Coordinates of all heavy atoms in Angstrom, one line a residue:
Q1 N 35.1 38.9 -48.3 CA 35.6 38.6 -47.0 C 35.4 39.9 -46.1 O 35.6 41.0 -46.6 CB 37.1 38.3 -47.1 CG 37.7 38.0 -45.8 CD 39.1 37.5 -45.9 OE1 39.8 37.8 -46.9 NE2 39.6 36.9 -44.9
F2 N 34.9 39.7 -44.9 CA 34.6 40.8 -44.0 C 35.4 40.7 -42.8 O 35.3 39.7 -42.0 CB 33.1 40.7 -43.7 CG 32.6 41.8 -42.8 CD1 32.3 43.0 -43.3 CD2 32.5 41.6 -41.4 CE1 31.8 44.0 -42.5 CE2 32.0 42.6 -40.6 CZ 31.7 43.8 -41.1
A3 N 36.3 41.6 -42.6 CA 37.1 41.6 -41.4 C 37.3 43.1 -41.0 O 37.7 43.9 -41.8 CB 38.4 40.9 -41.6
T4 N 37.0 43.4 -39.8 CA 37.2 44.8 -39.4 C 37.4 44.9 -37.8 O 37.0 43.9 -37.1 CB 36.0 45.7 -39.8 OG1 36.2 47.0 -39.4 CG2 34.7 45.1 -39.1
R5 N 37.9 45.9 -37.4 CA 38.0 46.1 -35.9 C 36.8 46.9 -35.4 O 36.6 46.9 -34.2 CB 39.3 46.9 -35.7 CG 40.6 46.1 -36.1 CD 41.8 46.9 -35.8 NE 42.1 47.1 -34.4 CZ 42.9 46.4 -33.6 NH1 43.5 45.4 -34.2 NH2 43.0 46.6 -32.4
H6 N 36.1 47.6 -36.2 CA 35.0 48.4 -35.7 C 33.8 48.1 -36.6 O 33.8 48.5 -37.8 CB 35.3 49.9 -35.7 CG 36.6 50.2 -34.9 ND1 36.5 50.2 -33.5 CD2 37.8 50.3 -35.3 CE1 37.8 50.5 -33.1 NE2 38.6 50.5 -34.1
S7 N 32.8 47.5 -36.1 CA 31.5 47.2 -36.8 C 30.4 47.4 -35.9 O 30.5 47.4 -34.6 CB 31.6 45.8 -37.4 OG 32.6 45.7 -38.3
T8 N 29.2 47.4 -36.4 CA 28.0 47.4 -35.6 C 27.3 46.0 -35.8 O 27.0 45.6 -36.9 CB 27.0 48.5 -36.1 OG1 27.7 49.7 -36.0 CG2 25.7 48.5 -35.3
Y9 N 27.1 45.4 -34.6 CA 26.4 44.1 -34.6 C 25.0 44.3 -34.0 O 24.9 44.9 -32.9 CB 27.3 43.2 -33.7 CG 26.7 41.8 -33.5 CD1 26.9 40.8 -34.4 CD2 25.9 41.5 -32.4 CE1 26.4 39.5 -34.2 CE2 25.3 40.3 -32.2 CZ 25.6 39.3 -33.1 OH 25.1 38.0 -32.9
V10 N 24.0 43.7 -34.6 CA 22.7 43.7 -34.1 C 22.4 42.3 -33.7 O 22.5 41.3 -34.4 CB 21.7 44.1 -35.2 CG1 20.2 43.9 -34.7 CG2 21.9 45.6 -35.5
C11 N 22.0 42.1 -32.4 CA 21.7 40.8 -31.9 C 20.1 40.7 -31.8 O 19.5 41.5 -31.2 CB 22.2 40.6 -30.5 SG 22.0 38.9 -29.8
T12 N 19.6 39.7 -32.5 CA 18.2 39.5 -32.5 C 17.8 38.3 -31.6 O 18.7 37.5 -31.2 CB 17.6 39.2 -33.9 OG1 18.3 38.0 -34.4 CG2 17.9 40.3 -34.9
E13 N 16.6 38.1 -31.3 CA 16.2 37.0 -30.4 C 15.8 35.9 -31.3 O 14.9 36.0 -32.1 CB 15.0 37.4 -29.5 CG 14.6 36.4 -28.6 CD 14.2 36.9 -27.3 OE1 14.2 38.1 -27.0 OE2 13.8 36.0 -26.4
G14 N 16.5 34.7 -31.1 CA 16.2 33.5 -31.9 C 15.1 32.7 -31.2 O 14.6 33.2 -30.2
P15 N 14.9 31.6 -31.6 CA 15.7 30.8 -32.6 C 15.2 31.1 -34.1 O 15.8 30.5 -35.0 CB 15.4 29.4 -32.2 CG 14.0 29.4 -31.7 CD 13.9 30.7 -31.0
R16 N 14.3 31.9 -34.3 CA 13.9 32.1 -35.7 C 14.9 33.0 -36.5 O 15.6 33.8 -35.9 CB 12.5 32.8 -35.8 CG 12.5 34.3 -35.3 CD 11.2 35.0 -35.6 NE 11.3 36.4 -35.2 CZ 11.9 37.3 -36.0 NH1 12.4 37.0 -37.1 NH2 11.9 38.5 -35.6
L17 N 15.0 32.8 -37.8 CA 15.8 33.6 -38.6 C 15.2 34.9 -38.9 O 13.9 35.1 -38.9 CB 16.2 32.9 -39.9 CG 16.9 31.6 -39.7 CD1 17.0 30.8 -41.0 CD2 18.3 31.8 -39.2
E18 N 16.0 35.9 -39.2 CA 15.4 37.3 -39.5 C 14.7 37.3 -40.8 O 15.1 36.5 -41.8 CB 16.6 38.3 -39.5 CG 17.3 38.4 -38.2 CD 18.4 37.3 -38.1 OE1 18.8 36.6 -39.1 OE2 18.8 37.1 -36.9
T19 N 13.7 38.1 -41.0 CA 13.0 38.3 -42.2 C 13.8 39.2 -43.2 O 14.6 40.0 -42.7 CB 11.6 38.9 -42.0 OG1 11.8 40.2 -41.6 CG2 10.8 38.0 -41.0
P20 N 13.5 39.2 -44.5 CA 14.2 40.1 -45.4 C 13.9 41.6 -45.0 O 14.8 42.4 -45.1 CB 13.5 39.8 -46.7 CG 13.1 38.3 -46.6 CD 12.7 38.2 -45.2
A21 N 12.7 41.9 -44.5 CA 12.4 43.2 -44.1 C 13.3 43.6 -42.9 O 13.8 44.8 -42.8 CB 10.9 43.4 -43.7
E22 N 13.5 42.7 -41.9 CA 14.3 43.0 -40.8 C 15.8 43.3 -41.2 O 16.4 44.2 -40.7 CB 14.2 41.9 -39.7 CG 12.9 41.8 -39.0 CD 12.8 40.6 -38.2 OE1 13.2 39.5 -38.6 OE2 12.2 40.7 -37.1
I23 N 16.3 42.4 -42.0 CA 17.7 42.6 -42.5 C 17.8 43.9 -43.2 O 18.8 44.7 -42.9 CB 18.1 41.4 -43.5 CG1 18.1 40.1 -42.7 CG2 19.4 41.7 -44.1 CD1 19.1 40.0 -41.6
A24 N 16.9 44.3 -44.0 CA 16.9 45.6 -44.7 C 16.9 46.8 -43.8 O 17.6 47.7 -43.9 CB 15.8 45.7 -45.8
A25 N 16.0 46.7 -42.8 CA 15.9 47.7 -41.8 C 17.2 47.9 -40.9 O 17.6 49.0 -40.7 CB 14.7 47.5 -40.8
F26 N 17.7 46.7 -40.5 CA 19.0 46.8 -39.8 C 20.1 47.4 -40.6 O 20.9 48.2 -40.1 CB 19.4 45.4 -39.2 CG 18.4 44.8 -38.2 CD1 18.1 43.5 -38.3 CD2 17.8 45.6 -37.3 CE1 17.3 42.9 -37.3 CE2 17.0 45.1 -36.3 CZ 16.7 43.7 -36.4
A27 N 20.2 47.1 -41.9 CA 21.2 47.6 -42.8 C 21.0 49.1 -42.9 O 22.0 49.9 -42.8 CB 21.1 47.0 -44.1
K28 N 19.8 49.6 -43.0 CA 19.5 51.0 -43.1 C 19.9 51.7 -41.8 O 20.3 52.9 -41.9 CB 18.1 51.3 -43.4 CG 17.7 51.1 -44.8 CD 16.3 51.4 -45.1 CE 15.9 51.1 -46.6 NZ 14.5 51.4 -46.9
L29 N 19.9 51.0 -40.7 CA 20.3 51.6 -39.4 C 21.8 51.5 -39.2 O 22.2 52.0 -38.1 CB 19.5 50.9 -38.3 CG 18.0 51.2 -38.3 CD1 17.3 50.3 -37.3 CD2 17.7 52.7 -37.9
G30 N 22.5 50.9 -40.1 CA 23.9 50.9 -40.0 C 24.5 49.5 -39.5 O 25.7 49.5 -39.2
A31 N 23.7 48.5 -39.5 CA 24.2 47.2 -39.0 C 25.2 46.6 -40.1 O 24.9 46.6 -41.2 CB 23.1 46.2 -38.7
D32 N 26.3 46.1 -39.6 CA 27.2 45.4 -40.5 C 27.0 43.9 -40.4 O 27.1 43.1 -41.4 CB 28.7 45.6 -40.0 CG 29.0 47.1 -40.2 OD1 29.0 47.6 -41.3 OD2 29.3 47.8 -39.2
V33 N 26.6 43.4 -39.2 CA 26.3 42.0 -39.0 C 25.1 41.9 -38.1 O 24.9 42.6 -37.2 CB 27.5 41.3 -38.2 CG1 27.3 39.9 -37.9 CG2 28.8 41.5 -39.0
V34 N 24.2 40.9 -38.4 CA 23.1 40.6 -37.6 C 23.1 39.1 -37.2 O 23.5 38.3 -38.0 CB 21.8 40.8 -38.4 CG1 20.5 40.4 -37.6 CG2 21.7 42.2 -38.9
G35 N 22.9 38.9 -35.9 CA 22.9 37.5 -35.4 C 22.1 37.3 -34.2 O 21.5 38.2 -33.7
M36 N 22.2 36.0 -33.7 CA 21.4 35.7 -32.5 C 22.3 35.3 -31.3 O 21.9 34.9 -30.3 CB 20.5 34.4 -32.8 CG 19.4 34.7 -33.7 SD 18.4 33.3 -34.0 CE 19.0 32.7 -35.5
T37 N 23.6 35.5 -31.5 CA 24.6 35.1 -30.5 C 25.5 36.3 -30.2 O 25.3 37.4 -30.8 CB 25.5 33.9 -30.9 OG1 26.1 34.3 -32.1 CG2 24.6 32.7 -31.2
L38 N 26.4 36.2 -29.3 CA 27.4 37.2 -28.9 C 27.0 38.0 -27.7 O 27.8 38.5 -27.0 CB 27.7 38.1 -30.1 CG 29.0 39.0 -29.9 CD1 30.2 38.2 -29.8 CD2 29.1 40.0 -31.1
C39 N 25.7 38.1 -27.4 CA 25.3 38.7 -26.2 C 24.6 37.7 -25.4 O 23.9 36.8 -26.0 CB 24.3 39.8 -26.6 SG 25.0 41.2 -27.5
P40 N 24.7 37.6 -24.2 CA 25.2 38.6 -23.2 C 26.6 38.4 -22.8 O 27.1 39.1 -21.9 CB 24.3 38.3 -22.0 CG 24.1 36.9 -22.0 CD 24.0 36.5 -23.5
E41 N 27.4 37.5 -23.4 CA 28.8 37.3 -22.9 C 29.6 38.5 -23.0 O 30.5 38.7 -22.2 CB 29.4 36.1 -23.7 CG 29.5 36.2 -25.2 CD 28.3 35.6 -25.9 OE1 27.2 35.4 -25.3 OE2 28.5 35.2 -27.0
V42 N 29.4 39.4 -24.0 CA 30.1 40.7 -24.1 C 30.0 41.5 -22.8 O 30.9 42.0 -22.2 CB 29.7 41.5 -25.3 CG1 30.2 42.9 -25.3 CG2 30.0 40.8 -26.6
W43 N 28.7 41.6 -22.3 CA 28.5 42.4 -21.1 C 29.0 41.7 -19.9 O 29.4 42.4 -19.0 CB 27.0 42.7 -21.1 CG 26.5 43.3 -22.3 CD1 25.6 42.7 -23.2 CD2 26.9 44.5 -22.9 NE1 25.4 43.5 -24.3 CE2 26.2 44.6 -24.2 CE3 27.8 45.5 -22.6 CZ2 26.4 45.7 -25.0 CZ3 28.0 46.6 -23.4 CH2 27.3 46.7 -24.6
I44 N 28.9 40.4 -19.8 CA 29.4 39.7 -18.6 C 30.9 39.9 -18.5 O 31.4 40.2 -17.5 CB 29.1 38.2 -18.7 CG1 27.5 38.0 -18.6 CG2 29.8 37.4 -17.7 CD1 27.1 36.6 -18.9
A45 N 31.6 39.8 -19.7 CA 33.1 40.0 -19.7 C 33.4 41.4 -19.2 O 34.3 41.6 -18.4 CB 33.7 39.7 -21.0
A46 N 32.7 42.4 -19.7 CA 32.9 43.8 -19.4 C 32.7 44.0 -17.9 O 33.5 44.7 -17.2 CB 32.0 44.7 -20.2
E47 N 31.6 43.4 -17.3 CA 31.3 43.6 -15.9 C 32.4 43.0 -15.1 O 32.7 43.5 -14.0 CB 30.0 42.9 -15.6 CG 28.8 43.7 -16.1 CD 27.5 43.0 -15.8 OE1 27.5 41.9 -15.1 OE2 26.5 43.4 -16.4
M48 N 33.1 41.9 -15.6 CA 34.1 41.2 -14.8 C 35.5 41.8 -15.1 O 36.5 41.4 -14.5 CB 34.1 39.8 -15.1 CG 32.8 39.1 -14.7 SD 32.8 37.3 -15.1 CE 34.0 36.7 -14.0
G49 N 35.6 42.8 -16.0 CA 36.8 43.5 -16.3 C 37.7 42.6 -17.2 O 38.9 42.8 -17.2
L50 N 37.1 41.7 -17.9 CA 37.9 40.8 -18.8 C 38.0 41.3 -20.2 O 37.0 41.7 -20.7 CB 37.3 39.4 -18.8 CG 37.1 38.6 -17.5 CD1 36.3 37.4 -17.6 CD2 38.5 38.3 -16.9
P51 N 39.2 41.3 -20.8 CA 39.2 41.7 -22.2 C 38.5 40.7 -23.0 O 38.5 39.5 -22.7 CB 40.7 41.6 -22.5 CG 41.4 41.5 -21.2 CD 40.5 41.0 -20.2
Y52 N 37.8 41.1 -24.0 CA 36.9 40.2 -24.8 C 37.0 40.6 -26.3 O 36.9 41.8 -26.6 CB 35.5 40.4 -24.3 CG 34.6 39.4 -25.0 CD1 34.3 38.1 -24.4 CD2 33.9 39.6 -26.2 CE1 33.5 37.2 -25.0 CE2 33.1 38.7 -26.8 CZ 32.9 37.5 -26.2 OH 32.1 36.6 -26.8
A53 N 37.2 39.7 -27.1 CA 37.2 39.9 -28.5 C 36.5 38.7 -29.1 O 36.5 37.6 -28.7 CB 38.6 39.9 -29.1
S54 N 35.7 39.0 -30.2 CA 35.0 38.0 -30.8 C 35.6 37.7 -32.2 O 35.8 38.6 -33.0 CB 33.5 38.4 -31.0 OG 32.8 37.4 -31.7
V55 N 35.9 36.4 -32.4 CA 36.3 36.0 -33.8 C 35.1 35.3 -34.3 O 34.7 34.2 -33.9 CB 37.5 35.1 -33.7 CG1 37.9 34.6 -35.1 CG2 38.7 35.8 -33.0
C56 N 34.4 35.9 -35.3 CA 33.2 35.3 -35.8 C 33.3 34.8 -37.2 O 34.1 35.4 -38.0 CB 32.1 36.4 -35.8 SG 31.7 37.1 -34.2
T57 N 32.6 33.8 -37.4 CA 32.5 33.3 -38.8 C 31.0 33.3 -39.2 O 30.2 32.8 -38.4 CB 33.0 31.8 -38.9 OG1 34.4 31.8 -38.5 CG2 32.9 31.3 -40.3
I58 N 30.7 33.9 -40.2 CA 29.3 34.1 -40.7 C 28.9 32.7 -41.3 O 29.5 32.3 -42.3 CB 29.2 35.2 -41.6 CG1 29.5 36.5 -40.9 CG2 27.7 35.3 -42.2 CD1 29.7 37.7 -41.8
T59 N 27.9 32.1 -40.7 CA 27.4 30.8 -41.2 C 26.1 31.0 -41.9 O 25.6 30.0 -42.4 CB 27.3 29.8 -40.0 OG1 26.4 30.4 -39.1 CG2 28.6 29.5 -39.4
N60 N 25.5 32.1 -41.8 CA 24.2 32.3 -42.4 C 24.1 33.7 -43.0 O 24.0 34.7 -42.4 CB 23.1 32.2 -41.3 CG 21.7 32.7 -41.8 OD1 21.5 33.0 -42.9 ND2 20.8 32.9 -40.8
M61 N 24.4 33.7 -44.3 CA 24.4 35.0 -45.0 C 23.0 35.5 -45.3 O 22.5 35.4 -46.4 CB 25.2 34.9 -46.3 CG 26.7 34.7 -46.1 SD 27.4 36.1 -45.3 CE 27.4 37.4 -46.6
A62 N 22.2 35.8 -44.2 CA 20.9 36.3 -44.3 C 20.0 35.2 -45.0 O 19.6 35.4 -46.1 CB 20.8 37.6 -44.9
A63 N 19.7 34.1 -44.3 CA 18.9 33.1 -44.9 C 17.6 33.6 -45.5 O 17.1 33.1 -46.5 CB 18.7 31.9 -43.9
G64 N 17.1 34.6 -44.9 CA 15.8 35.2 -45.4 C 16.0 35.8 -46.7 O 15.0 36.1 -47.4
L65 N 17.2 36.1 -47.1 CA 17.5 36.7 -48.5 C 18.1 35.7 -49.4 O 18.6 36.0 -50.5 CB 18.4 37.9 -48.3 CG 18.0 39.0 -47.3 CD1 19.0 40.1 -47.2 CD2 16.6 39.5 -47.7
S66 N 18.1 34.4 -49.1 CA 18.8 33.4 -49.9 C 18.2 33.3 -51.3 O 19.0 32.9 -52.2 CB 18.7 32.0 -49.2 OG 17.3 31.6 -49.1
H67 N 17.0 33.7 -51.5 CA 16.5 33.7 -52.9 C 17.2 34.7 -53.8 O 17.1 34.6 -55.0 CB 15.0 33.9 -52.9 CG 14.6 35.3 -52.4 ND1 14.7 35.6 -51.0 CD2 14.3 36.4 -53.0 CE1 14.4 36.9 -50.9 NE2 14.1 37.4 -52.1
L68 N 17.9 35.6 -53.3 CA 18.6 36.6 -54.1 C 19.9 36.2 -54.6 O 20.4 36.7 -55.6 CB 18.9 37.9 -53.2 CG 17.6 38.6 -52.7 CD1 18.0 39.8 -51.8 CD2 16.7 39.0 -53.8
S69 N 20.6 35.2 -54.0 CA 21.9 34.7 -54.4 C 22.2 33.3 -53.9 O 22.0 33.1 -52.7 CB 22.9 35.7 -53.9 OG 24.2 35.2 -54.1
A70 N 22.7 32.5 -54.8 CA 23.1 31.2 -54.4 C 24.3 31.3 -53.4 O 24.6 30.3 -52.6 CB 23.5 30.3 -55.6
A71 N 25.0 32.4 -53.4 CA 26.2 32.6 -52.5 C 25.7 32.6 -51.0 O 26.5 32.5 -50.1 CB 27.0 33.8 -52.9
R72 N 24.4 32.9 -50.8 CA 23.9 32.9 -49.5 C 23.5 31.5 -49.0 O 22.4 31.3 -48.5 CB 22.7 33.9 -49.4 CG 23.0 35.3 -49.7 CD 21.8 36.2 -49.6 NE 22.1 37.6 -49.9 CZ 22.6 38.4 -49.1 NH1 22.9 38.1 -47.9 NH2 22.9 39.7 -49.4
D73 N 24.4 30.6 -49.1 CA 24.2 29.2 -48.7 C 24.0 29.1 -47.2 O 24.5 29.9 -46.4 CB 25.4 28.4 -49.2 CG 25.2 26.9 -49.1 OD1 24.0 26.5 -48.9 OD2 26.1 26.1 -49.3
F74 N 23.3 28.1 -46.8 CA 23.0 27.9 -45.4 C 22.8 26.4 -45.1 O 22.2 25.7 -45.9 CB 21.7 28.7 -45.0 CG 21.3 28.6 -43.6 CD1 22.2 29.0 -42.6 CD2 20.1 28.0 -43.2 CE1 21.8 28.9 -41.3 CE2 19.7 27.9 -41.9 CZ 20.6 28.4 -40.9
G75 N 23.4 25.9 -44.0 CA 23.2 24.5 -43.7 C 24.5 23.9 -43.1 O 25.5 24.6 -42.8
P76 N 24.5 22.6 -43.0 CA 25.6 21.9 -42.3 C 27.0 22.1 -43.0 O 28.0 22.1 -42.4 CB 25.2 20.4 -42.4 CG 23.7 20.4 -42.5 CD 23.4 21.7 -43.3
G77 N 26.9 22.2 -44.4 CA 28.2 22.4 -45.1 C 28.9 23.7 -44.7 O 30.1 23.7 -44.6
I78 N 28.1 24.7 -44.6 CA 28.7 26.0 -44.2 C 29.2 25.9 -42.7 O 30.3 26.4 -42.5 CB 27.6 27.1 -44.2 CG1 27.2 27.3 -45.7 CG2 28.1 28.4 -43.6 CD1 28.3 27.8 -46.6
G79 N 28.5 25.3 -41.9 CA 29.0 25.1 -40.5 C 30.3 24.4 -40.4 O 31.2 24.8 -39.7
A80 N 30.4 23.3 -41.2 CA 31.7 22.5 -41.2 C 32.8 23.3 -41.8 O 33.9 23.3 -41.3 CB 31.5 21.2 -42.0
R81 N 32.5 24.1 -42.9 CA 33.6 24.9 -43.5 C 34.0 26.0 -42.5 O 35.2 26.3 -42.3 CB 33.1 25.5 -44.8 CG 34.2 26.3 -45.5 CD 33.8 26.7 -46.9 NE 32.3 26.8 -47.0 CZ 31.7 27.2 -48.1 NH1 32.4 27.6 -49.2 NH2 30.4 27.2 -48.2
C82 N 33.1 26.6 -41.8 CA 33.4 27.7 -40.8 C 34.2 27.1 -39.6 O 35.0 27.8 -39.1 CB 32.1 28.4 -40.4 SG 31.4 29.3 -41.7
L83 N 33.8 25.9 -39.2 CA 34.6 25.3 -38.1 C 36.0 25.2 -38.5 O 36.9 25.5 -37.7 CB 34.0 24.0 -37.7 CG 34.7 23.2 -36.6 CD1 34.7 24.1 -35.3 CD2 34.0 21.9 -36.3
R84 N 36.3 24.7 -39.7 CA 37.7 24.6 -40.1 C 38.4 26.0 -40.1 O 39.6 26.1 -39.7 CB 37.8 24.0 -41.5 CG 37.4 22.5 -41.5 CD 37.8 21.8 -42.9 NE 37.0 22.4 -44.0 CZ 35.8 21.9 -44.3 NH1 35.2 21.0 -43.6 NH2 35.2 22.5 -45.4
V85 N 37.7 27.0 -40.6 CA 38.3 28.4 -40.6 C 38.6 28.8 -39.1 O 39.7 29.3 -38.8 CB 37.4 29.3 -41.3 CG1 37.8 30.8 -41.1 CG2 37.3 29.0 -42.7
C86 N 37.7 28.6 -38.2 CA 37.9 29.0 -36.8 C 39.0 28.2 -36.2 O 39.8 28.8 -35.4 CB 36.6 28.8 -36.0 SG 35.3 30.0 -36.4
L87 N 39.1 26.9 -36.5 CA 40.2 26.1 -35.9 C 41.6 26.6 -36.4 O 42.5 26.7 -35.7 CB 40.0 24.7 -36.2 CG 38.9 24.0 -35.5 CD1 38.7 22.6 -36.0 CD2 39.1 24.0 -34.0
R88 N 41.6 27.0 -37.7 CA 42.9 27.5 -38.3 C 43.2 28.9 -37.7 O 44.4 29.2 -37.4 CB 42.7 27.6 -39.8 CG 44.0 28.2 -40.5 CD 45.1 27.2 -40.3 NE 46.3 27.8 -40.9 CZ 47.5 27.9 -40.4 NH1 47.7 27.3 -39.2 NH2 48.5 28.4 -41.0
A89 N 42.2 29.7 -37.5 CA 42.4 31.0 -36.8 C 43.0 30.8 -35.4 O 43.9 31.5 -35.0 CB 41.1 31.8 -36.8
A90 N 42.4 29.9 -34.7 CA 42.9 29.6 -33.3 C 44.4 29.1 -33.3 O 45.2 29.5 -32.5 CB 42.0 28.5 -32.7
E91 N 44.7 28.3 -34.3 CA 46.1 27.9 -34.5 C 47.0 29.1 -34.7 O 48.1 29.2 -34.1 CB 46.3 26.9 -35.6 CG 45.7 25.6 -35.4 CD 45.7 24.7 -36.6 OE1 46.2 25.1 -37.7 OE2 45.3 23.5 -36.5
L92 N 46.6 30.0 -35.6 CA 47.4 31.2 -35.9 C 47.6 32.1 -34.7 O 48.6 32.6 -34.4 CB 46.8 31.9 -37.0 CG 46.8 31.2 -38.4 CD1 46.0 32.0 -39.4 CD2 48.2 31.0 -38.9
I93 N 46.5 32.2 -33.9 CA 46.5 33.1 -32.7 C 47.5 32.5 -31.7 O 48.2 33.2 -31.0 CB 45.1 33.3 -32.1 CG1 44.3 34.2 -33.1 CG2 45.2 33.9 -30.8 CD1 42.9 34.3 -32.8
S94 N 47.4 31.2 -31.5 CA 48.3 30.5 -30.5 C 49.7 30.6 -30.9 O 50.6 30.5 -30.0 CB 47.8 29.1 -30.3 OG 48.1 28.3 -31.4
D95 N 50.0 30.8 -32.2 CA 51.4 30.9 -32.6 C 52.0 32.3 -32.3 O 53.2 32.5 -32.4 CB 51.6 30.6 -34.1 CG 51.3 29.2 -34.4 OD1 51.4 28.3 -33.5 OD2 51.1 28.8 -35.6
L96 N 51.2 33.3 -31.9 CA 51.6 34.6 -31.7 C 52.5 34.8 -30.5 O 52.4 34.2 -29.5 CB 50.5 35.6 -31.6 CG 49.7 35.8 -32.9 CD1 48.5 36.7 -32.7 CD2 50.5 36.3 -34.0

């Protein structure tokens, strides 16, 4: 489980998935998470003076590295499971 208040996110240009070499290079540079989303909305919110927090669910544990571990599952099942987690997190936040 990965949860932190301070991490380094690398945003790549999709729609292609990152290669194993790219994932390794980003990790060496200090990336905690690599993805194709989250930008530019962060900068738009900052420009408008809006507080912004991202609640992310990892749906692709580096698909380019899936041959290394079956735990790096990818596909509709992961998306459905992550949606349930996000909906539960939204319920918990709304109870605060």
Side-chain angles (χ1 to χ4, degrees):
Q1 186 175 17
F2 181 81
T4 182
R5 295 178 69 95
H6 304 281
S7 297
T8 299
Y9 177 87
V10 171
C11 186
T12 62
E13 182 144 359
R16 69 172 185 78
L17 297 172
E18 301 80 17
T19 66
E22 289 172 318
I23 295 294
F26 294 141
K28 284 183 182 179
L29 292 170
D32 297 298
V33 178
V34 177
M36 289 181 263
T37 58
L38 192 62
C39 295
E41 56 268 25
V42 169
W43 307 114
I44 293 170
E47 288 175 9
M48 297 179 70
L50 300 172
Y52 186 92
S54 176
V55 177
C56 298
T57 302
I58 298 169
T59 59
N60 166 12
M61 291 295 289
L65 305 179
S66 60
H67 64 284
L68 299 177
S69 168
R72 295 181 181 276
D73 193 10
F74 180 60
I78 294 298
R81 185 171 23 177
C82 292
L83 179 58
R84 287 191 298 274
V85 169
C86 287
L87 290 172
R88 181 64 182 132
E91 288 174 2
L92 293 172
I93 290 170
S94 67
D95 290 342
L96 294 178

